[in-house]
């Protein structure tokens, strides 16, 4: 399939970063091109000296719409790079653990030296044993920290680093007592774990944590309970859409509002138009850096006729990351992936940590009537956040929050075992 486009060619790669983020690493030239030959891109001819990359994505099954969008983003990256040292071959995980295991085995049998993907935690769990056995590094897109380890990495935006950035910002604004609301899911529990550890590190008191069913639409009792003796000055709501709006409204009904209380969220807030939500004005949330403009979004819309999901940009950056590895063929792949200097892509500065986690330089965005406004810029400083730095089993009981909507014993059992 040939797709006609007329858009400026992006002359940039992804670089080892030895200087500040303010240095310009993306340049638009006046060079233009007319076609992307997707057939050639998706069926590359192996060339001696190339890096062979197996890409595991859910191209069929429950997550296929996301997988196909990520594949499109990777096609874009290949077209932008025009590299003859990089070969990508795609394998369908079928949106399942078993499918990912089979896909990884096939990719390795066919000579993959690096694996990009899979997407979901269960897929990574299925593919990891194959990759580890063959000593093939895997850079996935999962946000589930439990499946990550040395050799099994993620380029995705993890909840832990988002929570850490948000709590750091709150502390910088003189906020010291915090409440947290999360859905009663593994993702929500991961956020709780990250918040406890980050709060301890930043000398912030996490006093209350509320859990609610992801299907719930009535939060009145939970919010009323948490609002009694509302001695917190910050509250994080780790959700988006109607649940976020409803929770914020219920807090306002119970006289919990800005400026007495700063509302915070995760990057999920960016998926909701909050410009008319007056209760959330002045609320803040972390996002990957927009310092490099809207090139990716604009080109994706121009090429494929739809607004890209945020995960697609991580797929794009993963190909740029692979191009760095391809350019350092004389070096160990894992040492290149985890180089301390980090990288810069369309999502700004990021690092792949030896623990398997990723670190992104995040900016803090404020909700305003005119739309999101950056109130704290991203930078490329080394991360001081590693999820395993503090063993939560040894956190003194008095430093643990009071839990609402879920028994303390159930929460602690999960935290201690994950």
């Amino acid at each position: 399939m040939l797709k006609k486009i007329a858009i400026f060619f992006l002359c940039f790669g992804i670089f080892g970063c030895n200087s500040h983020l303010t240095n310009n690493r993306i340049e638009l030239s006046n060079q233009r091109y007319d076609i992307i030959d997707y057939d050639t891109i998706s069926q590359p001819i192996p060339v001696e000296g190339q890096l062979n990359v197996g890409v595991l994505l859910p191209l069929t099954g429950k997550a296929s719409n996301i997988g196909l969008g990520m594949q499109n983003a990777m096609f874009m990256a290949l077209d932008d790079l025009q590299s003859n040292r990089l070969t990508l071959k795609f394998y369908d995980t079928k949106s399942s653990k078993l499918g990912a295991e089979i896909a990884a085995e096939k990719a390795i049998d066919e000579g993959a030296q690096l694996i990009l993907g899979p997407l979901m935690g269960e897929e990574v769990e299925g593919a990891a044993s194959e990759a580890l056995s063959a000593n093939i590094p895997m850079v996935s897109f999962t946000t589930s920290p439990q499946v990550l380890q040395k050799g099994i990495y993620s380029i995705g935006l993890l909840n832990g680093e988002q929570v850490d950035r948000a709590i750091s910002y709150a502390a910088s604004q003189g906020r010291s007592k915090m409440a947290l609301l999360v859905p009663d899911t593994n993702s929500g529990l991961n956020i709780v774990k990250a918040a406890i550890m980050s709060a301890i590190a930043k000398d912030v008191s996490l006093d209350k944590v509320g859990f609610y069913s992801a299907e719930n639409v009535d939060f009145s009792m939970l919010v009323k309970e948490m609002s009694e003796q509302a001695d917190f000055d910050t509250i994080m709501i780790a959700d988006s859409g109607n649940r976020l709006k409803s929770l914020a409204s219920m807090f306002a009904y119970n006289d919990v509002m800005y400026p007495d209380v700063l509302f915070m969220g995760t990057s999920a807030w960016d998926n909701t138009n909050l410009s008319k939500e007056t209760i959330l004005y002045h609320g803040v949330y972390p996002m990957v850096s927009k310092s490099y403009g809207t090139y990716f979004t604009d080109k994706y819309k121009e090429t494929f006729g739809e607004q890209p999901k945020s995960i697609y940009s991580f797929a794009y950056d993963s190909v740029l990351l692979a191009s760095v590895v391809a350019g350092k063929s004389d070096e160990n792949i894992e040492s290149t992936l985890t180089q301390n200097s980090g990288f810069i892509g369309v999502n700004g500065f990021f690092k792949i940590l030896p623990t398997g986690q990723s670190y992104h330089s995040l900016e803090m965005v404020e909700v305003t009537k005119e739309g999101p406004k950056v109130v704290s810029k991203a930078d490329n400083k080394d991360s001081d956040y590693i999820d395993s730095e503090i063993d939560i089993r040894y956190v003194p009981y008095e430093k643990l929050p009071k839990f609402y909507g879920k028994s303390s014993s159930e929460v602690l059992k999960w935290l201690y075992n994950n």
Side-chain angles (χ1 to χ4, degrees), residues 274-292:
L274 300 175
S275 60
K276 295 182 180 180
E277 302 301 316
T278 56
I279 295 167
L280 288 172
Y281 284 177
H282 306 289
V284 293
Y285 59 94
M287 277 296 298
V288 292
S289 175
K290 303 292 185 184
S291 302
Y292 296 104

Side-chain angles (χ1 to χ4, degrees), residues 20 35 39 47 100 139 144 179 194 203 216 223 239 334 341 377 407:
H20 294 294
I35 61 173
D39 289 333
V47 176
V139 180
S144 299
D203 198 25
N216 197 7
V223 172
D239 213 327
E334 290 203 45
S341 54
K377 293 182 179 180
S407 71

Side-chain angles (χ1 to χ4, degrees), residues 316-356:
Y316 185 99
D317 275 354
S318 74
V319 176
L320 305 187
L321 177 63
S323 75
V324 173
V325 175
K328 297 184 177 182
S329 57
D330 57 332
E331 297 183 18
N332 178 272
I333 290 178
E334 290 203 45
S335 64
T336 300
L337 289 174
T338 59
Q339 63 185 33
N340 191 55
S341 54
F343 308 94
I344 289 182
V346 294
N347 287 318
F349 176 83
F350 70 93
K351 295 170 68 173
I352 305 293
L353 303 178
T355 58

Side-chain angles (χ1 to χ4, degrees), residues 157-165 190-191 194-195 198 385 387:
L157 184 57
L158 303 180
N159 286 323
E161 57 178 320
Q162 297 183 56
V163 170
D164 190 67
R165 178 68 168 99
N190 278 324
I191 290 172
S198 181
Y385 167 74
D387 190 48

Side-chain angles (χ1 to χ4, degrees), residues 276-397:
K276 295 182 180 180
E277 302 301 316
T278 56
I279 295 167
L280 288 172
Y281 284 177
H282 306 289
V284 293
Y285 59 94
M287 277 296 298
V288 292
S289 175
K290 303 292 185 184
S291 302
Y292 296 104
T294 60
Y295 169 79
F296 173 80
T297 300
D298 292 344
K299 180 177 175 180
Y300 192 97
K301 288 169 64 177
E302 177 82 17
T303 307
F304 301 106
E306 63 180 14
Q307 179 78 16
K309 298 182 184 300
S310 58
I311 187 66
Y312 299 175
S313 61
F314 293 95
Y316 185 99
D317 275 354
S318 74
V319 176
L320 305 187
L321 177 63
S323 75
V324 173
V325 175
K328 297 184 177 182
S329 57
D330 57 332
E331 297 183 18
N332 178 272
I333 290 178
E334 290 203 45
S335 64
T336 300
L337 289 174
T338 59
Q339 63 185 33
N340 191 55
S341 54
F343 308 94
I344 289 182
V346 294
N347 287 318
F349 176 83
F350 70 93
K351 295 170 68 173
I352 305 293
L353 303 178
T355 58
Q357 299 171 312
S358 56
Y359 164 76
H360 297 81
S361 185
L362 304 177
E363 57 192 20
M364 291 300 294
V365 178
E366 180 182 2
V367 178
T368 74
K369 182 179 180 180
E370 291 74 30
K373 173 188 175 184
V374 176
V375 291
S376 179
K377 293 182 179 180
D379 59 36
N380 66 344
K381 293 181 180 178
D382 288 346
S383 170
D384 60 358
Y385 167 74
I386 299 178
D387 190 48
S388 58
E389 273 188 359
I390 302 172
D391 191 330
I392 198 167
R393 293 173 297 177
Y394 300 110
V395 174
Y397 188 79

